[in-house]
Amino acid sequence: MRGKEDKPRISPLVPDPVVAEIARHDWESIVCGCGRSAGHLVDQLWDAAEGHPSAYRALEGHAFQAGQLRPPAPAVCGVLMAVWSAGPPRLATREALLWTLLALASTEDDGSPYEAGLYGQCAAYIRTNVGSLRLEAVTRPDTVSAAYVDGILELLGLAA
């Protein structure tokens, strides 16, 4: 008999690349910022991928907290960038996603020049789609989304 955690989750709102990114990580082996296994974040990430803005803000305390990244941060960032690449249609979802990326990018860098650390891994995920982030800021100037994008790019040293 399969348990709840063994059932593959299916949603017509979640594109295949996002499903693949969620499945790629061994969430149970990652210690969450709340002290439990990060396996409980999977449902939250599905909710985020389905377009629920509150699911993004709820990542605080799990992937990042008080200016520090927590071990699930790179995997979470990978999922967020997969969602971003899929193009969330609702403005509230885009803004929540960008707010979360800004929160991740504005944390204290825990790496060194010789290792990526959690921060470097998150930055690498964000850098994979800088072009579409810039496009968001250009096509929606003077918006909250543009301000978040500008902050992200500035923090990563990619501001124009």
Side-chain angles (χ1 to χ4, degrees), residues 80-106:
L80 297 182
M81 290 312 296
V83 172
W84 180 260
S85 295
R90 294 178 46 221
L91 178 61
T93 303
R94 285 194 312 270
E95 287 179 355
L97 194 157
L98 291 168
W99 174 87
T100 308
L101 290 175
L102 180 61
L104 290 164
S106 63

mmCIF file of all heavy atoms in Angstrom, residues 80-106:
data_model
loop_
_atom_site.group_PDB
_atom_site.id
_atom_site.type_symbol
_atom_site.label_atom_id
_atom_site.label_comp_id
_atom_site.label_asym_id
_atom_site.label_seq_id
_atom_site.Cartn_x
_atom_site.Cartn_y
_atom_site.Cartn_z
ATOM 1 N N LEU A 80 11.668 27.414 -7.683
ATOM 2 C CA LEU A 80 11.145 28.752 -7.974
ATOM 3 C C LEU A 80 11.549 29.212 -9.372
ATOM 4 O O LEU A 80 10.726 29.804 -10.099
ATOM 5 C CB LEU A 80 11.634 29.758 -6.936
ATOM 6 C CG LEU A 80 11.205 29.542 -5.495
ATOM 7 C CD1 LEU A 80 11.736 30.651 -4.606
ATOM 8 C CD2 LEU A 80 9.708 29.410 -5.374
ATOM 9 N N MET A 81 12.779 28.939 -9.752
ATOM 10 C CA MET A 81 13.215 29.346 -11.090
ATOM 11 C C MET A 81 12.534 28.519 -12.173
ATOM 12 O O MET A 81 12.276 29.026 -13.269
ATOM 13 C CB MET A 81 14.736 29.301 -11.203
ATOM 14 C CG MET A 81 15.439 30.386 -10.377
ATOM 15 S SD MET A 81 14.772 32.068 -10.567
ATOM 16 C CE MET A 81 15.107 32.397 -12.286
ATOM 17 N N ALA A 82 12.211 27.277 -11.884
ATOM 18 C CA ALA A 82 11.448 26.467 -12.839
ATOM 19 C C ALA A 82 10.043 27.048 -12.998
ATOM 20 O O ALA A 82 9.514 27.121 -14.119
ATOM 21 C CB ALA A 82 11.381 25.012 -12.381
ATOM 22 N N VAL A 83 9.446 27.481 -11.894
ATOM 23 C CA VAL A 83 8.129 28.131 -11.960
ATOM 24 C C VAL A 83 8.237 29.425 -12.757
ATOM 25 O O VAL A 83 7.404 29.712 -13.620
ATOM 26 C CB VAL A 83 7.568 28.395 -10.539
ATOM 27 C CG1 VAL A 83 6.302 29.245 -10.610
ATOM 28 C CG2 VAL A 83 7.296 27.088 -9.805
ATOM 29 N N TRP A 84 9.281 30.210 -12.464
ATOM 30 C CA TRP A 84 9.469 31.471 -13.188
ATOM 31 C C TRP A 84 9.617 31.216 -14.691
ATOM 32 O O TRP A 84 9.018 31.908 -15.513
ATOM 33 C CB TRP A 84 10.689 32.232 -12.666
ATOM 34 C CG TRP A 84 10.878 33.518 -13.395
ATOM 35 C CD1 TRP A 84 11.758 33.768 -14.404
ATOM 36 C CD2 TRP A 84 10.123 34.708 -13.215
ATOM 37 N NE1 TRP A 84 11.599 35.059 -14.853
ATOM 38 C CE2 TRP A 84 10.603 35.655 -14.140
ATOM 39 C CE3 TRP A 84 9.094 35.079 -12.353
ATOM 40 C CZ2 TRP A 84 10.088 36.940 -14.226
ATOM 41 C CZ3 TRP A 84 8.579 36.360 -12.444
ATOM 42 C CH2 TRP A 84 9.077 37.274 -13.372
ATOM 43 N N SER A 85 10.407 30.230 -15.038
ATOM 44 C CA SER A 85 10.623 29.896 -16.457
ATOM 45 C C SER A 85 9.326 29.494 -17.143
ATOM 46 O O SER A 85 9.149 29.735 -18.334
ATOM 47 C CB SER A 85 11.640 28.766 -16.590
ATOM 48 O OG SER A 85 12.893 29.184 -16.133
ATOM 49 N N ALA A 86 8.418 28.879 -16.381
ATOM 50 C CA ALA A 86 7.126 28.476 -16.944
ATOM 51 C C ALA A 86 6.201 29.669 -17.142
ATOM 52 O O ALA A 86 5.196 29.560 -17.832
ATOM 53 C CB ALA A 86 6.471 27.441 -16.041
ATOM 54 N N GLY A 87 6.537 30.805 -16.523
ATOM 55 C CA GLY A 87 5.762 32.022 -16.709
ATOM 56 C C GLY A 87 4.471 32.078 -15.925
ATOM 57 O O GLY A 87 3.398 31.925 -16.486
ATOM 58 N N PRO A 88 4.556 32.294 -14.600
ATOM 59 C CA PRO A 88 3.323 32.380 -13.821
ATOM 60 C C PRO A 88 2.420 33.484 -14.374
ATOM 61 O O PRO A 88 2.869 34.607 -14.578
ATOM 62 C CB PRO A 88 3.792 32.724 -12.407
ATOM 63 C CG PRO A 88 5.256 32.856 -12.452
ATOM 64 C CD PRO A 88 5.745 32.554 -13.819
ATOM 65 N N PRO A 89 1.172 33.163 -14.643
ATOM 66 C CA PRO A 89 0.296 34.109 -15.321
ATOM 67 C C PRO A 89 -0.236 35.243 -14.453
ATOM 68 O O PRO A 89 -0.446 36.346 -14.949
ATOM 69 C CB PRO A 89 -0.866 33.230 -15.799
ATOM 70 C CG PRO A 89 -0.884 32.085 -14.862
ATOM 71 C CD PRO A 89 0.545 31.873 -14.434
ATOM 72 N N ARG A 90 -0.450 34.983 -13.171
ATOM 73 C CA ARG A 90 -1.069 36.002 -12.320
ATOM 74 C C ARG A 90 -0.032 36.951 -11.744
ATOM 75 O O ARG A 90 1.026 36.533 -11.285
ATOM 76 C CB ARG A 90 -1.820 35.326 -11.181
ATOM 77 C CG ARG A 90 -3.005 34.512 -11.652
ATOM 78 C CD ARG A 90 -3.734 33.802 -10.537
ATOM 79 N NE ARG A 90 -3.963 34.671 -9.398
ATOM 80 C CZ ARG A 90 -3.833 34.280 -8.129
ATOM 81 N NH1 ARG A 90 -3.474 33.044 -7.855
ATOM 82 N NH2 ARG A 90 -4.066 35.112 -7.144
ATOM 83 N N LEU A 91 -0.370 38.231 -11.727
ATOM 84 C CA LEU A 91 0.519 39.257 -11.192
ATOM 85 C C LEU A 91 0.866 38.978 -9.731
ATOM 86 O O LEU A 91 2.030 39.073 -9.335
ATOM 87 C CB LEU A 91 -0.117 40.638 -11.339
ATOM 88 C CG LEU A 91 0.682 41.805 -10.768
ATOM 89 C CD1 LEU A 91 2.030 41.925 -11.467
ATOM 90 C CD2 LEU A 91 -0.107 43.094 -10.884
ATOM 91 N N ALA A 92 -0.109 38.625 -8.924
ATOM 92 C CA ALA A 92 0.145 38.368 -7.501
ATOM 93 C C ALA A 92 1.138 37.218 -7.317
ATOM 94 O O ALA A 92 1.991 37.255 -6.424
ATOM 95 C CB ALA A 92 -1.160 38.067 -6.775
ATOM 96 N N THR A 93 1.051 36.209 -8.170
ATOM 97 C CA THR A 93 1.977 35.075 -8.094
ATOM 98 C C THR A 93 3.377 35.509 -8.497
ATOM 99 O O THR A 93 4.360 35.160 -7.836
ATOM 100 C CB THR A 93 1.498 33.916 -8.986
ATOM 101 O OG1 THR A 93 0.176 33.550 -8.588
ATOM 102 C CG2 THR A 93 2.415 32.721 -8.883
ATOM 103 N N ARG A 94 3.489 36.276 -9.584
ATOM 104 C CA ARG A 94 4.813 36.760 -10.017
ATOM 105 C C ARG A 94 5.459 37.606 -8.927
ATOM 106 O O ARG A 94 6.638 37.462 -8.634
ATOM 107 C CB ARG A 94 4.698 37.563 -11.316
ATOM 108 C CG ARG A 94 4.467 36.721 -12.544
ATOM 109 C CD ARG A 94 4.697 37.498 -13.839
ATOM 110 N NE ARG A 94 4.056 38.791 -13.896
ATOM 111 C CZ ARG A 94 2.814 39.011 -14.356
ATOM 112 N NH1 ARG A 94 2.094 38.006 -14.790
ATOM 113 N NH2 ARG A 94 2.317 40.225 -14.385
ATOM 114 N N GLU A 95 4.678 38.494 -8.339
ATOM 115 C CA GLU A 95 5.234 39.355 -7.291
ATOM 116 C C GLU A 95 5.676 38.545 -6.074
ATOM 117 O O GLU A 95 6.733 38.815 -5.509
ATOM 118 C CB GLU A 95 4.217 40.424 -6.887
ATOM 119 C CG GLU A 95 4.062 41.497 -7.940
ATOM 120 C CD GLU A 95 3.035 42.556 -7.566
ATOM 121 O OE1 GLU A 95 2.356 42.414 -6.521
ATOM 122 O OE2 GLU A 95 2.910 43.528 -8.324
ATOM 123 N N ALA A 96 4.893 37.569 -5.672
ATOM 124 C CA ALA A 96 5.271 36.734 -4.528
ATOM 125 C C ALA A 96 6.532 35.930 -4.829
ATOM 126 O O ALA A 96 7.420 35.798 -3.980
ATOM 127 C CB ALA A 96 4.116 35.808 -4.149
ATOM 128 N N LEU A 97 6.625 35.412 -6.032
ATOM 129 C CA LEU A 97 7.806 34.654 -6.439
ATOM 130 C C LEU A 97 9.035 35.561 -6.441
ATOM 131 O O LEU A 97 10.084 35.199 -5.900
ATOM 132 C CB LEU A 97 7.570 34.049 -7.825
ATOM 133 C CG LEU A 97 8.541 32.966 -8.277
ATOM 134 C CD1 LEU A 97 7.880 32.111 -9.337
ATOM 135 C CD2 LEU A 97 9.839 33.513 -8.792
ATOM 136 N N LEU A 98 8.906 36.747 -7.010
ATOM 137 C CA LEU A 98 10.037 37.687 -7.052
ATOM 138 C C LEU A 98 10.425 38.149 -5.653
ATOM 139 O O LEU A 98 11.611 38.302 -5.351
ATOM 140 C CB LEU A 98 9.713 38.871 -7.953
ATOM 141 C CG LEU A 98 9.632 38.538 -9.442
ATOM 142 C CD1 LEU A 98 9.031 39.702 -10.228
ATOM 143 C CD2 LEU A 98 11.003 38.169 -9.995
ATOM 144 N N TRP A 99 9.443 38.341 -4.782
ATOM 145 C CA TRP A 99 9.740 38.712 -3.398
ATOM 146 C C TRP A 99 10.590 37.621 -2.741
ATOM 147 O O TRP A 99 11.560 37.907 -2.038
ATOM 148 C CB TRP A 99 8.450 38.917 -2.595
ATOM 149 C CG TRP A 99 8.712 39.160 -1.142
ATOM 150 C CD1 TRP A 99 8.972 40.362 -0.541
ATOM 151 C CD2 TRP A 99 8.778 38.173 -0.096
ATOM 152 N NE1 TRP A 99 9.180 40.174 0.804
ATOM 153 C CE2 TRP A 99 9.070 38.845 1.104
ATOM 154 C CE3 TRP A 99 8.608 36.788 -0.071
ATOM 155 C CZ2 TRP A 99 9.195 38.179 2.321
ATOM 156 C CZ3 TRP A 99 8.737 36.115 1.145
ATOM 157 C CH2 TRP A 99 9.032 36.821 2.318
ATOM 158 N N THR A 100 10.233 36.362 -2.984
ATOM 159 C CA THR A 100 10.957 35.241 -2.390
ATOM 160 C C THR A 100 12.380 35.160 -2.949
ATOM 161 O O THR A 100 13.340 34.946 -2.200
ATOM 162 C CB THR A 100 10.205 33.917 -2.618
ATOM 163 O OG1 THR A 100 8.854 34.075 -2.178
ATOM 164 C CG2 THR A 100 10.852 32.779 -1.855
ATOM 165 N N LEU A 101 12.521 35.361 -4.261
ATOM 166 C CA LEU A 101 13.867 35.371 -4.842
ATOM 167 C C LEU A 101 14.704 36.511 -4.260
ATOM 168 O O LEU A 101 15.892 36.336 -3.978
ATOM 169 C CB LEU A 101 13.791 35.496 -6.369
ATOM 170 C CG LEU A 101 13.248 34.289 -7.119
ATOM 171 C CD1 LEU A 101 13.127 34.603 -8.610
ATOM 172 C CD2 LEU A 101 14.121 33.057 -6.897
ATOM 173 N N LEU A 102 14.084 37.674 -4.084
ATOM 174 C CA LEU A 102 14.796 38.804 -3.487
ATOM 175 C C LEU A 102 15.210 38.475 -2.050
ATOM 176 O O LEU A 102 16.333 38.778 -1.641
ATOM 177 C CB LEU A 102 13.929 40.065 -3.528
ATOM 178 C CG LEU A 102 14.543 41.325 -2.932
ATOM 179 C CD1 LEU A 102 15.818 41.721 -3.681
ATOM 180 C CD2 LEU A 102 13.528 42.461 -2.962
ATOM 181 N N ALA A 103 14.329 37.828 -1.304
ATOM 182 C CA ALA A 103 14.662 37.431 0.066
ATOM 183 C C ALA A 103 15.843 36.456 0.073
ATOM 184 O O ALA A 103 16.748 36.572 0.909
ATOM 185 C CB ALA A 103 13.444 36.809 0.743
ATOM 186 N N LEU A 104 15.848 35.520 -0.856
ATOM 187 C CA LEU A 104 16.961 34.568 -0.947
ATOM 188 C C LEU A 104 18.257 35.274 -1.346
ATOM 189 O O LEU A 104 19.325 35.002 -0.793
ATOM 190 C CB LEU A 104 16.637 33.461 -1.950
ATOM 191 C CG LEU A 104 15.546 32.476 -1.533
ATOM 192 C CD1 LEU A 104 15.056 31.681 -2.736
ATOM 193 C CD2 LEU A 104 16.036 31.547 -0.434
ATOM 194 N N ALA A 105 18.164 36.201 -2.299
ATOM 195 C CA ALA A 105 19.358 36.897 -2.787
ATOM 196 C C ALA A 105 19.902 37.902 -1.776
ATOM 197 O O ALA A 105 21.072 38.258 -1.834
ATOM 198 C CB ALA A 105 19.048 37.608 -4.113
ATOM 199 N N SER A 106 19.071 38.343 -0.853
ATOM 200 C CA SER A 106 19.519 39.365 0.101
ATOM 201 C C SER A 106 20.013 38.773 1.415
ATOM 202 O O SER A 106 20.239 39.496 2.370
ATOM 203 C CB SER A 106 18.394 40.369 0.364
ATOM 204 O OG SER A 106 17.292 39.743 0.972
#
